[in-house]
Amino acid sequence: MHKMYDFDSIVIGGGMIGSSIAFGLAKQDEKVAMIDEGDNALNAARGNFGLIWAQGKGENHPSYADWTLQSVKKWPEFNNELKALTKIDTGFEQKGGFDFCLNQEEFEERIISLKHIAENSNEQFSYKMLDHEELEKKLPKIGPEVFGASYSSWDGHVNPLLLLRSLHQGFQELGGKLLIHSVNDIKYNDSYFSVETKNSVINSNKVILAAGFSNQNLAPKIGLKMSLFPQRGQILVTEKIKPFLDYPTGLIRQTNEGGLLLGDSHEDVGFDDSTSLQTMQQIAQRVTTIFPFLKDVKMIRAWGSLRILTEDRLPIYDYSKTCPGAYTISSHSGVTLSAIHALDIASYIAKDGKLPISLKCFSAERFND
Amino acid sequence: MNNHYDIIIIGAGPAGMSASCLASKYKAKILVLDVAASPGGQIFRAVETNQSIDKQKFGANYLNGIKLVNKFRKCSINYHSRAKVWHLSENGEVHYLKDNKTHFVKAKHILITSGAQERPFPVAGWTLNGVMTAGAAQILLKESNLGIQNAVFVGTGPLLYLIAHQYLMMGIPIKAVVDTTPLSNYFRAIPKIVNLRGNFNEIYKGIRWIGDIKKSNTLFIKRISDLRILGDEEVHAIEYQKNGQWNKIECENVLLHQGLVPEINISLSVGCRKIWNQQQSCWNIDVDKWFQSSLPSISVAGDASSISGAIAAEASGKIAALNILAKLNIITANQRDQLAIPIHKSLKTEMSTRIFLETLFNPISHFRIPNNNDTIVCRCEEVSAGEIRESVDLGSKGPNQTKSFTRCGMGPCQGRLCGLTVSEIIADQLNRSVEEVGHYRIRPPITPITLGNLSTTKPAVTRSN
Amino acid sequence: MIKRIDSQKTEMIKIYFEGELINAHKGQTVASALLEAGVTHFQNTTSRGSQRGPFCMMGVCFDCLVEIDEQPNQQACMVNVYQEMKIRRQTNIFK
């Protein structure tokens, strides 16, 4: 098989999704090349918060809820494999997590939403609602204005940069080739693909597009379509402080080095990934409402990053009919889904070729008229 | 509105002070913000408050500083000391911290004259207790009359010899001066003597300082090829290599210096374009001949844009001020041009003499790009040169990717002490120019700010970088 | 060893480092007062626990971090001493 092409698979995009799949394929003994644009690419992976989040996902879409839960379940196994291979401690923890409710209305809406997800889930999703008193026992520094929170033992977090580094290192240790180039064209030659960069042409049996926004330009070349929209999220990082937050939450987590990551903002500003004082302030105000003692803690840097969203905020998993062997993958939950991408998706691609019917609902065809 | 100004000047060193004095003469409404307790920048640090010490021993330049500071005090401007700017926007909005509270001000034009910092000097052991910069020694002297006894001064550049000389004049014993200026620099500098155009003042001064140091029987070792600082947590010796042999000097304090570089974070945070200055081996802020940056409402003058010394800084501050006054229609473009002629001329002379000094004291590359992979490059996060190189092997093509891989540049100093080294290591490894490789993307806040202050500041609607 | 080379008549300020009294001079920064008193170890880094003290003395390096009156991460070289100031080493911040 190797004689006809340079590689079994070429993964275009070296971010969270691309590197998870490339790592998974390399583990399946495929000869894999991963092509990434380099330092100035938009790089959603570098702006990631680091949550491995189950609660609240797929409220109106049980298949997505279950897909998420399956990935969350596989995370410990996935992390162990990575650690055994690369020796890197990604800081993975899965002790559960909290999403706060600032008033009764929010609290009651949350109950309805989580109940709905649990009832429609095949994975036995579980959660607990805590009122202020119960919350204070778990998170002693919680502010008086916080009405309560939802907690799920399914939730966890990881250091996203260490995860990315570990995936890249693991990939290369398994024989994978990382190439830093922009992809100009992809040609399907009846049984193999030719990926053209500025200086070279690389041939493979399969090609997987995991290039974030660049997927939009590349997908048509392999007979697929996708529409993606940027949504900006800003994240603040504080100085390192004494550990006080044992659990990740939807908008604050404490890293294993002691710094806090503060976030959960959503803005429609096109492809602008700069920071804005207004949003930084909103994040600071929310966070100091939740943990008032944080008003004396200093922020040392902030950044903006673009989430890659589809119209319905669900992922895209597509397999090309006109160019068999070509796939497109897009999601803004690259960290949560990293496990199932590395384990299941890579396995589907390596073994059967096609994607399972259970993933058909995530085809981009759902956006066609 | 009483928090609206014509010009906000950030930094009250020679450039900032002369800009404010000039602009205030034309009745512009000016605000000057500076982090120190009193005006003067680094070169004239504490020149007001230092009462009893015999200032003669600091040299003639320092005394000129007193005149400039007195003039500054008499100008009709608003001046806030201990004011730390943490956010700038290109439309003239400024947020600064003073007494732990944040304040918001706005101007039609911002002039950044926040000066220089010392170039990082990454050598083995430079993070040990007892190692400081020569500038730090000078600050202790000027501000608090404290002298570090029996220190070893290491490095290159006029400031190193100046401070050693000041120590000598004050009677503070020096263990040794270890000079890293390579022989090849002398050969490269000789043809540049013609640039001095007969202005040998600075050179004579330098020669005199070095002569005095040698005459004083201070150990003076020249042209060392390598260096390491030894100790467990505290310095106990320094080792230098010369002519293939390693020699040890026992000491408790090492003072490092290999030149100054512009402190660029504040200008980059708002989006000013930068360029790599090959001659100086550092980043400069890209400005035109009026010190106007790539952003229409931001000018950057003095050492903040390019290292040029205190006299040139005064001139550039004035030139920038004249241009801003013309942009604000306080003077005409013609007036600006006329008034600037003599200042441009003296600036040109100053810059010309600097070429010789820059060539002579350009730090040799292995003291900028450590060969020893164990040497710490990012002090805040303790990332070594080896880890930086490893990130390039793993595919990193620039400092931002390397930052994601290694955490270098993520600490509180936000790349001020590692940025140059990291960019140069990557460029060296990839065989590309530093201009191509680039620098960390600098984001606000320019200095850390509490979440409480961030919550209560007036929000700006415009974007930053 | 750091020594005063000229004695100015200034108001003396009582500060405490790790519980011990230091007589500082008015107008001095915390960093210079501690260095004068012979203190070189101001903090331990969070990455490897290495000892650090002042390096640049001008607010650029962030190595001189101490805890002042229970506020951590204070740059000792940027803060002036005041009466009854209580300073602690910033160390083992996670323990």
Side-chain angles (χ1 to χ4, degrees), chain B residues 350-419:
Chain B
E350 266 304 306
M351 297 307 288
S352 184
T353 62
R354 294 213 58 95
I355 296 173
F356 173 77
L357 291 173
E358 278 171 17
T359 311
L360 182 57
F361 297 122
N362 184 246
I364 198 170
S365 66
H366 66 261
F367 285 132
R368 303 188 330 256
I369 307 170
N371 288 326
N372 181 345
N373 274 332
D374 290 330
T375 304
I376 289 184
V377 169
C378 167
R379 293 174 64 101
C380 295
E381 297 287 329
E382 298 186 275
V383 182
S384 68
E387 288 174 74
I388 311 283
R389 292 189 167 106
E390 194 185 33
S391 77
V392 177
D393 291 337
L394 279 178
S396 170
K397 293 280 184 273
N400 294 297
Q401 270 183 318
T402 291
K403 188 179 189 179
S404 315
F405 271 44
T406 65
R407 294 194 58 83
C408 72
M410 287 193 182
C413 98
Q414 287 296 288
R416 287 173 174 92
L417 288 197
C418 63

Side-chain angles (χ1 to χ4, degrees), chain B residues 414-426:
Chain B
Q414 287 296 288
R416 287 173 174 92
L417 288 197
C418 63
L420 280 174
T421 316
V422 170
S423 293
E424 287 213 88
I425 289 177
I426 297 173

Side-chain angles (χ1 to χ4, degrees), chain A residues 54-96:
Chain A
Q55 64 169 294
K57 297 274 181 77
E59 184 182 342
N60 297 318
H61 203 288
S63 300
Y64 179 55
D66 279 347
W67 179 246
T68 301
L69 294 170
Q70 284 162 28
S71 186
V72 168
K73 260 202 316 208
K74 289 175 197 263
W75 244 96
E77 171 200 344
F78 165 59
N79 189 62
N80 286 338
E81 275 184 38
L82 261 183
K83 190 164 181 192
L85 180 62
T86 66
K87 312 287 182 278
I88 292 176
D89 182 359
T90 59
F92 167 65
E93 267 182 5
Q94 204 171 36
K95 296 194 293 194

Side-chain angles (χ1 to χ4, degrees), chain A residues 216-237:
Chain A
Q216 280 189 119
N217 311 331
L218 296 173
K221 298 179 197 287
I222 51 161
L224 290 170
K225 261 198 326 202
M226 54 205 306
S227 264
L228 301 169
F229 309 95
Q231 185 196 67
R232 184 167 75 188
Q234 295 187 41
I235 299 181
L236 316 188
V237 181

Side-chain angles (χ1 to χ4, degrees), chain B residues 128-140:
Chain B
L128 293 170
N129 280 341
V131 181
M132 289 197 269
T133 59
Q138 197 183 50
I139 288 169
L140 281 168

